[in-house]
Amino acid sequence: MRLSRVVWFGLLAGVLITSPVIALFYLAEQVVGLPFAPFDLLDWLTRNLPGDVITKGIDTMVGLIHDLNLGETSSTAKKLETFSALAAFFSGGVGAGAVLFALLEWAATRFDLRAQQHEVIRYAPGILGGLLVSLPVILISRNVNVTAETSDFTNTVWLSLVFGAWGAAITWLFFRLWQEPARAMSGTEPDRAISVEPVLAEQISRRNFLIRVGGVTATLTVIGAGLGRYLEYREAENYKKLIARRRAQAAAIAQELPNAGDPVLPAPGTRPELTPLEDHYRIDINVRPLELDAETWRLHITGLVDRPMDLTIDDLRDNYDPLHQYVTLACISNSVGGDLTSTIQWIGARLKDVLEEAGIKAAGRYALIRSADGFHETLDLALLEEDDRIMLCYSWEGIPLLHKHGFPLRIYIPDRYGMKQPKWITDIEISDQYAEGYWVKRGWDSVAQMRATAVVDVAASDMPFERAGQTFVPVGGIAHAGARGISKVEVQVDDGEWVETQLRSPLSETTWVIWRYDWPFEEGQHIFRVRCYEKDSTPQIETSSGSHPSGATGYDRMSQTF
Ligand SMILES: Nc1nc2c(c(=O)[nH]1)N[C@H]1C(S)=C(S)[C@@H](COP(=O)(O)O)O[C@H]1N2
Ligand SMILES: [Mo]
């Protein structure tokens, strides 16, 4: 009875103290760039849970977002991650409050803590408890946090201070909320006749106390979170303005799209052929994207090379012929017809040119590519011999990469899913040893060649047109087979024949192809199925499979009532 009551009070204390602590972490992150512990913990879990657990988690999340129609997958997933990180940290703090209350209760009886005159001794166990909890958090934060702008030392001091203060505050509540009223209550024991009143008085004073403390912590939480949010918002707005300015500069020098004159126009409602920069999907292992400093950033080229190099972004931009390529990137977790794929213009330096300057030694067979967030992948140098479109990319659409897309440098490897293509690259080591990449270690395909898939985006019933007395409705979508190209896309309506569609010439040989079929309109409910063939006529795989481990397969379909 007493134990369960002390646990309840501990949970309550946990809620009261953990909320302002989270707000404080947030505010400190926004003001001076101290680490935000809840995100560090989630990032650490992401990196250290077994691969199949993570994969299951990603599948469940992507599936849920799709089934519940929660909107665009990658940004919704990041919001869900943010929410889970906060919820988990909060629950941890609340649970720890209960544990600390139970321990204090035990210690209080065992060592008669409340009789201690010295505050220090009364508070020591709670503060020690807080510091103990801070230890793993400090280690984890040191290990995974790459967004903090403060030194390791400052971070350590900060985290111990906050956790120690948390323990002290919980202890304070323990004595005020639990021990003293309890003592007062038991003190009434001998005199039964008047026992009711002090208990009642005690309950009222406890309630008043709770209301006061609750009011204070709620106020602190709201102020801290609100101020932090405002600062974050202001920074985001400034960032948007910066992008808009750079875009305006880039637009002034942009060329016309290479397929501008193509008579095959997308069916209205097909996804944009060129994804607007702000809509490009984002996937990585970080709750918050890294923000690397271009001034101090270097690309280190090491290992089996004649001349190890430390390159700045300006070196890469100025000393090598820039390569402009329209690129369709897709995440291996994308479902057939999903939105984890986008097309944009990538600009960079040929990796081959850069490595030639470093001089690969005869024994060099692999490029081990490492990123600032601990992500890594391995490129077989044989692929570099075959494909000189592989590039170190520093710009999308003529402006420096956005932070979330890998500023200042990422790699592009045609025909491979995103998991093979690190962002935020800092190191390329030439080696004679193969090393499994981040997701390969966690059970995903080591080659990760893009699957051929065709997708139906729209049957534009709001844009019908007449031709020779027949009404047509434009149906359309995309088809993509990595760098292998698309030779044919076919549509089947209900159980009809497969018919060939019109293909719009793609932006490049590695981007998706837009297809269009003007469908002789019939009322009622119809199912549209779509499939494609690669340039060499290899048909798309018909059997449906999930994305793990090699990318989703199967025909896309859309049902619509007209
Ligand atoms: N450093 C780093 N690079 C990374 C990742 C990552 O987690 N860390 N994720 C990869 C994956 S799985 C994908 S799909 C692409 C996504 O790139 P985008 O966010 O610019 O669309 O980045 C790849 N590069
Ligand atoms: Mo991905």
Side-chain angles (χ1 to χ4, degrees):
M1 164 69 182
R2 197 167 155 83
L3 182 70
S4 80
R5 267 176 71 86
V6 83
V7 165
W8 278 115
F9 273 93
L11 292 174
L12 182 61
V15 170
L16 289 177
I17 303 303
T18 310
S19 319
V21 159
I22 294 180
L24 183 66
F25 270 135
Y26 180 47
L27 187 61
E29 186 208 27
Q30 292 305 318
V31 177
V32 272
L34 281 157
F36 187 66
F39 290 171
D40 290 350
L41 296 183
L42 188 70
D43 280 346
W44 182 79
L45 277 182
T46 308
R47 284 157 179 71
N48 290 289
L49 284 177
D52 43 345
V53 175
I54 293 290
T55 297
K56 193 106 206 111
I58 295 175
D59 274 1
T60 313
M61 191 155 69
V62 170
L64 237 114
I65 292 170
H66 178 260
D67 295 345
L68 301 181
N69 246 319
L70 296 180
E72 191 269 320
T73 311
S74 62
S75 58
T76 310
K78 284 296 167 205
K79 280 184 202 130
L80 283 178
E81 276 177 31
T82 306
F83 177 77
S84 342
L86 290 174
F89 191 85
F90 183 70
S91 322
V94 172
V99 172
L100 194 52
F101 256 53
L103 288 176
L104 284 172
E105 165 78 353
W106 171 79
T109 357
R110 183 88 168 65
F111 305 110
D112 202 15
L113 263 194
R114 77 191 91 111
Q116 293 294 336
Q117 294 307 310
H118 287 292
E119 297 276 307
V120 182
I121 299 181
R122 282 161 46 116
Y123 278 86
I127 295 179
L128 278 179
L131 289 179
L132 213 64
V133 180
S134 79
L135 269 183
V137 180
I138 289 169
L139 290 179
I140 284 171
S141 181
R142 272 192 173 219
N143 186 247
V144 298
N145 188 302
V146 279
T147 49
E149 291 156 38
T150 38
S151 71
D152 271 358
F153 175 75
T154 313
N155 298 346
T156 303
V157 172
W158 168 245
L159 289 170
S160 354
L161 269 180
V162 176
F163 279 86
W166 175 89
I170 295 274
T171 310
W172 177 68
L173 281 183
F174 175 78
F175 285 114
R176 285 301 307 269
L177 201 60
W178 177 248
Q179 278 280 311
E180 279 165 16
R183 183 168 45 157
M185 271 185 271
S186 60
T188 64
E189 221 46 69
D191 196 346
R192 294 231 152 242
I194 53 159
S195 69
V196 169
E197 267 182 29
V199 171
L200 209 60
E202 198 44 62
Q203 276 176 356
I204 289 170
S205 96
R206 180 187 266 165
R207 189 187 302 142
N208 285 343
F209 173 73
L210 265 179
I211 290 173
R212 274 210 313 278
V213 173
V216 171
T217 62
T219 310
L220 286 178
T221 308
V222 169
I223 291 178
L227 210 57
R229 186 72 197 100
Y230 169 72
L231 291 172
E232 189 174 13
Y233 166 82
R234 215 179 50 181
E235 196 179 314
E237 285 301 301
N238 287 340
Y239 192 55
K240 270 192 212 151
K241 278 188 205 138
L242 177 74
I243 294 170
R245 264 205 310 280
R246 287 182 181 162
R247 282 194 99 170
Q249 290 162 0
I253 50 170
Q255 338 84 311
E256 224 181 38
L257 291 182
N259 61 356
D262 196 304
V264 179
L265 296 176
T270 306
R271 71 188 68 197
E273 181 163 42
L274 198 58
T275 311
L277 182 58
E278 42 283 346
D279 295 343
H280 197 289
Y281 85 91
R282 170 200 161 201
I283 293 285
D284 51 65
I285 56 173
N286 315 290
V287 180
R288 290 259 176 87
L290 278 64
E291 297 194 2
L292 302 185
D293 178 5
E295 293 297 311
T296 54
W297 176 91
R298 295 290 180 276
L299 171 66
H300 309 287
I301 301 181
T302 59
L304 300 173
V305 289
D306 299 326
R307 292 166 293 277
M309 302 205 277
D310 282 343
L311 298 171
T312 65
I313 266 303
D314 287 342
D315 292 338
L316 286 163
R317 211 191 318 261
D318 301 341
N319 302 346
Y320 304 91
D321 287 337
L323 189 60
H324 293 69
Q325 304 188 69
Y326 289 99
V327 167
T328 296
L329 187 68
C331 180
I332 198 163
S333 292
N334 194 32
S335 56
V336 175
D339 59 8
L340 296 178
T341 176
S342 309
T343 299
I344 213 151
Q345 190 192 38
W346 295 44
I347 304 162
R350 287 181 206 276
L351 178 60
K352 205 174 181 174
D353 291 352
V354 179
L355 290 184
E356 249 161 36
E357 197 159 316
I360 299 176
K361 289 197 189 333
R365 288 199 51 200
Y366 302 98
L368 312 180
I369 307 164
R370 300 196 189 93
S371 302
D373 59 346
F375 190 83
H376 55 94
E377 250 303 336
T378 299
L379 172 71
D380 190 331
L381 292 175
L383 200 61
L384 197 59
E385 287 307 310
E386 291 162 27
D387 194 338
D388 69 355
R389 294 169 300 190
I390 298 175
M391 70 171 165
L392 293 173
C393 164
Y394 44 72
S395 165
W396 276 5
E397 295 203 322
I399 68 173
L401 287 174
L402 302 189
H403 287 301
K404 63 178 171 177
H405 294 299
F407 179 88
L409 195 72
R410 67 185 301 167
I411 194 167
Y412 171 53
I413 308 171
D415 218 30
R416 297 293 181 268
Y417 280 116
M419 60 167 271
K420 299 295 288 184
Q421 321 204 23
K423 312 190 269 192
W424 304 294
I425 297 178
T426 56
D427 289 271
I428 297 180
E429 181 191 337
I430 303 301
S431 172
D432 52 358
Q433 302 288 316
Y434 173 75
E436 287 187 333
Y438 184 95
W439 285 115
V440 178
K441 272 190 186 159
R442 288 161 177 78
W444 293 80
D445 195 305
S446 64
V447 178
Q449 186 177 41
M450 284 177 158
R451 303 278 206 187
T453 46
V455 178
V456 48
D457 278 340
V458 70
S461 54
D462 51 339
M463 300 289 276
F465 64 91
E466 305 280 327
R467 195 195 294 142
Q470 164 76 52
T471 305
F472 291 89
V473 161
V475 179
I478 52 157
H480 189 228
R484 307 185 302 285
I486 296 288
S487 59
K488 190 160 73 167
V489 175
E490 293 176 333
V491 169
Q492 183 191 43
V493 185
D494 304 320
D495 297 322
E497 293 286 302
W498 284 94
V499 286
E500 195 169 341
T501 69
Q502 292 176 284
L503 298 186
R504 179 173 166 82
S505 54
L507 290 171
S508 82
E509 53 198 357
T510 68
T511 59
W512 58 37
V513 172
I514 289 190
W515 61 266
R516 171 189 179 123
Y517 170 59
D518 291 329
W519 168 57
F521 174 74
E522 278 172 51
E523 269 184 26
Q525 189 187 6
H526 299 285
I527 293 174
F528 302 85
R529 261 187 216 85
V530 62
R531 68 182 181 198
C532 64
Y533 298 81
E534 298 179 17
K535 263 273 147 60
D536 70 357
S537 301
T538 308
Q540 176 185 339
I541 297 172
E542 181 173 2
T543 319
S544 285
S545 75
S547 58
H548 188 263
S550 308
T553 59
Y555 292 173
D556 191 36
R557 50 187 276 161
M558 184 182 79
S559 165
Q560 194 165 318
T561 308
F562 299 87

